[in-house]
Amino acid sequence: MKSRFIITIIFFFFGIPDFCLAQKVQSENNIVSLKIRQDFFDRGNLIKNNSFELATVKGNDSVIHNFSLLNWTVIGKNVQLTDITRRSSNDSEAYSGIHAIKIVRSKEDVKEIDNESEGVLTDFIEVIPGNFDFYFDIRLENIIPSPYPERYHSRIDKGIDIHLQFYDKNKKPINPGYYFEYVNKKVDNSFKGFAFSNFFYIDKFGWARVKARTWNYPYSEGDLPGNCKYVKIFAGLKSSGTMWIDNLDFRLSKWSFTPMERMDSFFQKKYTLSQLLIPAPRLMANQQTVDLKNKKVSLVYDGKQFPEMNAAITLLRERFFNIYHDSVRVEKTEKGAANSKKLQIIFLDQANKASTEFAQSYHSIAGKDQGYFMLKKANKIYIGANKPTGYFYAASSLCQLINYENKTLDYVDITDYPDFTGRSTVLMGFQNKWEMQQNKKLSDSALNQRILERNKNLDRQLKDIDFYVFYKINLLYDNYFLNSKRWWMPGEFYNTYYSKIGDKCAQYGEIMNTAVQVNPYYHIEMEQRVDTLTDSLKNIFSHGTDDGFQKVLNVLKPALEAGAKTVMVCADDYIPHLGSQRGEYILFSKSDISEFTNLASAQYYLLNKLNRWLKEHYGDIRLEFVPPQYNNLFVDYTRGTAESYFHDLMEHLDPDIVIVWTGNTIRSLSYDAADIFRFTELIQKKPMVWDNSPYARMVESKNGGYPINYPEKSVLCNLFEPFDIQYPENFPSYIDDHYYSNLGGFGEINKIKYLTFADFSWNTNDYNPDFSLYKALVHYVGKTNAGLLLKFNDAYYQFVSRWGKLRMEREHNPLYQLEADELKSAQQDMSEMKAAFNALRVMDNKALYNELRNVMNVKIEAWNKLIQTAIPQTSLKK
């Protein structure tokens, strides 16, 4: 089993330039053992002399042109070596160390014919078939894409020339073309300067870390050709301008390993409860074990009644109940604790901030509204916070340290506060009654059954709020899709939904709040051409009319009355566009066309009016806006109109209205300085991230996901996918302090996944996606069952890989027939998947068990449907 598993995984991972070869080439060269992969991973950066410090300078010129580099070849007359120790230089000439490469090209250096890049090229670098991460530090000035700006008005394209050269075992070049199912053609997989390709020009881009890439999601970045044994890396400039580059980093990535391979080591170790905290605290110290047996515990606070403190006291009493039952006392005064049989948990009031005893602890959380600390002295645990919310967060951390089996407290002093003050999940989806009634095939009894199920789901949702609060999620968004195409009439259940959820949140005070979305364009079809709209559809909503404004309020008022503190106005996907290509979004209603100059003017009018109304009627409500061009890809679609749109919008928009952004594409798996810089320049403020990554790799759609576009790589997917993106150091400092994760928070699988998001959004610096998932699984089902879940996941995606490959073959060749040995292997995979699932029967969580059974059965049904015509009928009968 193990050898077959490795062969399947490693061969299917990477570098097959044509989809049809996937079933035909079974070369030993494609089999890479776990040991070899682990060895390459442990090597780290494979580029020698990656920061150009090992250099030989010839002569003593102020500008160094005459030099050589160990492990590199210099190409071109305009390549310089910087040296920050020289009088004529300064620290900005290198990102770190003494040296960097600087390339200065004038317009005269850039040719229209036979224009060659200038830069530096590595020696041969040994590699294995796999997936590689590639980053570099770069600085740019005055980058102009064309030698004749007056003649060609183009984008930078491949002007920032970062690329790989691929070689086989004999060091012969390999064609860089890499088949990409999404576009049904080969893509130049060698080019890695795409981060800057769609800029029109770059005036100044300061030193920053950038991810080298060919394209964005859904392209699988970092794969090498299957027969690639060596690469060379070129870093240079083809356009005019000045480019500095330093600290290139090329290494085997974690995406050369399956989930179980990445996480197996965690199961071999024993962790303290403090190491398993979710979210991981910022600072821990003074670890110790406190014996709780035969010890009296009391909770001490000033007796003031406010929801956050009440929630903290209630939580502690509930969690200590299994040890002490009703013997946990609540007191209003601190008493001497010399008695070793007594433990006091003391909530400090605001007067203690002036105390020298706790001055340092309070100073460490100064200015952090959700900050808290826990400090143990003798038999007293002191809890301090800036705001009441912090008391509850301290209590939730303390509760996770209770070892019920040993009746001990795995205690540690904690100083903590979040990176993002807004950490969200998404509420359950539902259909309103009107939408159900549009399904004419639905009988009255079936409709009533759906309504009953909807009510049951709401009860489950209310219970889930306790779960999310415990792990420091503090925002609950609805989703505008649930409002039906008649969005301005959300229905009776919508009012009940927000009323009940609002009442539940009110029990927690400011610990948990709701957020409401509205998309006033949702009655239109996705990306519809304006000339296909009927007059009646065009005039359902107008930005400037009282009727249009009231329709928006119809959606918002039930949520606001129930305590919602955030409003998100969404203009994504449903605004009609001009012409055959998406991107040029325009006004569509008759009244708007007569009243406003363009879409931007109509939208800032509506948003500013709404912002004033919210403040007048509900106080400090946060207003967020998702623009039509909500990611860099959609900015590119507009062919320049997005720049004009944002200029007009931001010039007049109230400055406190937040702009929402999904990154470089719809489902962004990485965020780097180039991505952030580009959008920040457009909106002239920090964007708020709407993150669609939690389902990006596993989604089964044409525009994303491994099962559809890279079926061989499905074995890398995880049903319990942790929040897993690549982001720059100090990421929270570049973006808004609220972070929206767009994954339904309803259901057992999603709750596990959201534990990892809670971990990430609280403490990005210490976040490890794989270890976070390990912690989440242990919290949710225990260590033994966690291992069983991952084994089922690996078996499930091994089967998905079989299904995906057959689906792809049939799509390209409807007459394709599955051979007998392939069918036998698939049946074996199905059998192993079912066995792995049956092993999950020992779990107490039957809801999770049932969810996974449904997931498995859907895929088995899809496979059975696919093979009806993909194998000879005689095989089916057998």
Side-chain angles (χ1 to χ4, degrees), residues 583-633:
E584 194 170 347
Y585 302 108
I586 61 171
L587 296 170
F588 49 89
S589 78
K590 186 176 181 180
S591 62
D592 280 348
I593 292 171
S594 65
E595 184 174 355
F596 300 108
T597 305
N598 52 29
L599 180 64
S601 63
Q603 288 182 331
Y604 71 65
Y605 170 83
L606 174 67
L607 291 166
N608 290 346
K609 180 178 179 179
L610 179 60
N611 200 28
R612 293 192 299 272
W613 183 90
L614 289 169
K615 287 177 170 53
E616 179 182 349
H617 292 86
Y618 294 97
D620 189 20
I621 301 296
R622 175 183 164 97
L623 180 56
E624 301 164 348
F625 176 58
V626 184
Q629 306 90 344
Y630 56 87
N631 58 61
N632 294 1
L633 172 65

Side-chain angles (χ1 to χ4, degrees), residues 620-689:
D620 189 20
I621 301 296
R622 175 183 164 97
L623 180 56
E624 301 164 348
F625 176 58
V626 184
Q629 306 90 344
Y630 56 87
N631 58 61
N632 294 1
L633 172 65
F634 287 4
V635 171
D636 297 338
Y637 278 152
T638 70
R639 299 174 296 281
T641 61
E643 284 79 358
S644 297
Y645 167 84
F646 280 114
H647 179 271
D648 292 343
L649 180 76
M650 301 312 297
E651 187 74 19
H652 301 91
L653 194 68
D654 288 349
D656 61 331
I657 297 176
V658 179
I659 304 297
V660 178
W661 174 63
T662 65
N664 52 50
T665 188
I666 302 170
R667 306 179 192 118
S668 300
L669 295 177
S670 69
Y671 298 80
D672 68 13
D675 297 326
I676 298 169
F677 171 80
R678 187 167 182 217
F679 200 75
T680 302
E681 284 289 289
L682 285 176
I683 67 172
Q684 293 297 301
K685 64 195 305 182
K686 295 179 180 180
M688 170 188 163
V689 171

Side-chain angles (χ1 to χ4, degrees), residues 12-144:
F12 288 150
F13 271 3
F14 315 108
I16 302 189
D18 282 299
F19 81 94
C20 58
L21 296 180
Q23 304 275 343
K24 299 177 182 177
V25 181
Q26 292 279 351
S27 165
E28 288 296 317
N29 293 331
N30 295 113
I31 302 172
V32 186
S33 71
L34 176 60
K35 184 178 183 304
I36 292 175
R37 284 179 285 137
Q38 189 63 56
D39 174 63
F40 259 83
F41 185 81
D42 292 341
R43 293 184 194 181
N45 190 3
L46 300 177
I47 302 176
K48 297 178 180 178
N49 193 19
N50 70 306
S51 61
F52 313 112
E53 299 303 312
L54 302 177
T56 301
V57 178
K58 302 166 186 177
N60 195 31
D61 297 333
S62 58
V63 176
I64 305 172
H65 283 287
N66 192 5
F67 66 98
S68 61
L69 296 169
L70 187 64
N71 307 116
W72 293 82
T73 300
V74 180
I75 299 172
K77 63 182 178 62
N78 291 305
V79 182
Q80 305 174 20
L81 179 72
T82 67
D83 185 339
I84 66 171
T85 64
R86 298 201 171 195
R87 289 183 179 180
S88 58
S89 186
N90 59 68
D91 290 347
S92 66
E93 291 292 298
Y95 186 79
S96 64
I98 295 174
H99 298 303
I101 292 299
K102 179 178 181 180
I103 307 163
V104 183
R105 301 191 82 202
S106 67
K107 292 180 182 179
E108 289 72 25
D109 294 317
V110 180
K111 310 300 182 186
E112 182 169 340
I113 300 174
D114 298 328
N115 183 38
E116 298 293 333
S117 299
E118 299 182 80
V120 290
L121 179 69
T122 66
D123 294 342
F124 285 105
I125 300 171
E126 184 183 7
V127 294
I128 59 174
N131 183 271
F132 287 75
D133 281 330
F134 183 13
Y135 281 87
F136 52 86
D137 293 319
I138 193 168
R139 176 185 165 198
L140 300 167
E141 286 187 6
N142 200 30
I143 303 297
I144 307 296

Side-chain angles (χ1 to χ4, degrees), residues 154-388:
S154 57
R155 299 180 191 248
I156 289 175
D157 193 30
K158 294 185 177 182
I160 308 298
D161 188 3
I162 313 293
H163 70 257
L164 303 181
Q165 297 173 5
F166 305 120
Y167 299 89
D168 65 15
K169 63 182 180 180
N170 298 314
K171 297 185 177 179
K172 293 183 178 180
I174 298 173
N175 190 304
Y178 187 59
Y179 178 78
F180 185 22
E181 175 69 12
Y182 180 51
V183 295
N184 194 22
K185 62 182 69 174
K186 290 183 180 181
V187 173
D188 179 5
N189 190 42
S190 66
F191 175 65
K192 300 298 175 184
F194 184 76
F196 300 103
S197 291
N198 285 300
F199 284 76
F200 286 105
Y201 68 94
I202 297 174
D203 183 19
K204 285 189 178 181
F205 180 82
W207 276 115
R209 196 98 172 132
V210 172
K211 180 178 175 63
R213 56 189 184 270
T214 296
W215 206 352
N216 295 321
Y217 176 93
Y219 189 79
S220 177
E221 181 53 53
D223 295 348
L224 302 187
N227 59 337
C228 183
K229 296 298 182 183
Y230 299 93
V231 299
K232 288 185 176 183
I233 297 175
F234 178 82
L237 183 62
K238 200 168 190 175
S239 300
S240 64
T242 305
M243 167 180 156
W244 295 257
I245 195 162
D246 203 352
N247 300 319
L248 287 83
D249 193 306
F250 181 77
R251 64 182 67 210
L252 191 69
S253 85
K254 60 182 278 185
W255 298 105
S256 299
F257 303 86
T258 69
M260 195 52 149
E261 287 175 329
R262 298 199 304 268
M263 297 177 63
D264 184 61
S265 63
F266 303 139
F267 289 88
Q268 314 308 318
K269 300 174 184 177
K270 187 173 182 179
Y271 297 97
T272 63
L273 293 179
S274 59
Q275 291 173 307
L276 298 176
L277 279 167
I278 299 176
R282 194 165 299 274
L283 181 65
M284 295 187 287
N286 189 29
Q287 183 174 339
Q288 56 186 282
T289 300
V290 179
D291 190 356
L292 298 177
K293 293 186 290 290
N294 303 316
K295 184 170 291 190
K296 294 182 178 180
V297 171
S298 61
L299 310 177
V300 182
Y301 79 112
D302 60 11
K304 295 178 181 178
Q305 297 295 312
F306 45 90
E308 296 85 355
M309 179 60 78
N310 291 341
I313 296 296
T314 300
L315 178 64
L316 288 168
R317 295 191 73 175
E318 288 177 350
R319 295 305 173 106
F320 277 108
F321 180 83
N322 289 341
I323 296 176
Y324 297 108
H325 301 290
D326 289 330
S327 62
V328 178
R329 300 184 59 184
V330 179
E331 302 171 345
K332 294 184 180 180
T333 57
E334 177 182 348
K335 299 178 181 178
N339 184 354
S340 62
K341 295 295 184 179
K342 188 171 184 179
L343 176 67
Q344 287 184 299
I345 300 172
I346 301 164
F347 291 88
L348 300 171
D349 60 30
Q350 297 302 304
N352 292 110
K353 284 188 176 182
S355 168
T356 56
E357 184 178 5
F358 303 106
Q360 184 175 349
S361 296
Y362 275 110
H363 178 74
S364 64
I365 60 171
K368 308 295 182 181
D369 284 355
Q370 298 174 26
Y372 70 91
F373 64 84
M374 295 194 314
L375 186 64
K376 186 173 182 294
K377 297 188 177 185
N379 291 321
K380 298 181 181 181
I381 297 175
Y382 294 95
I383 293 176
N386 289 323
K387 296 262 180 97

Side-chain angles (χ1 to χ4, degrees), residues 356-426:
T356 56
E357 184 178 5
F358 303 106
Q360 184 175 349
S361 296
Y362 275 110
H363 178 74
S364 64
I365 60 171
K368 308 295 182 181
D369 284 355
Q370 298 174 26
Y372 70 91
F373 64 84
M374 295 194 314
L375 186 64
K376 186 173 182 294
K377 297 188 177 185
N379 291 321
K380 298 181 181 181
I381 297 175
Y382 294 95
I383 293 176
N386 289 323
K387 296 262 180 97
T389 298
Y391 292 129
F392 181 85
Y393 289 156
S396 68
S397 294
L398 186 60
C399 288
Q400 292 184 46
L401 301 179
I402 301 172
N403 187 323
Y404 294 104
E405 183 178 354
N406 298 330
K407 291 189 176 181
T408 59
L409 189 65
D410 185 14
Y411 180 79
V412 64
D413 287 343
I414 292 176
T415 302
D416 205 13
Y417 52 85
D419 280 334
F420 294 100
T421 58
R423 304 170 300 280
S424 67
T425 185
V426 179

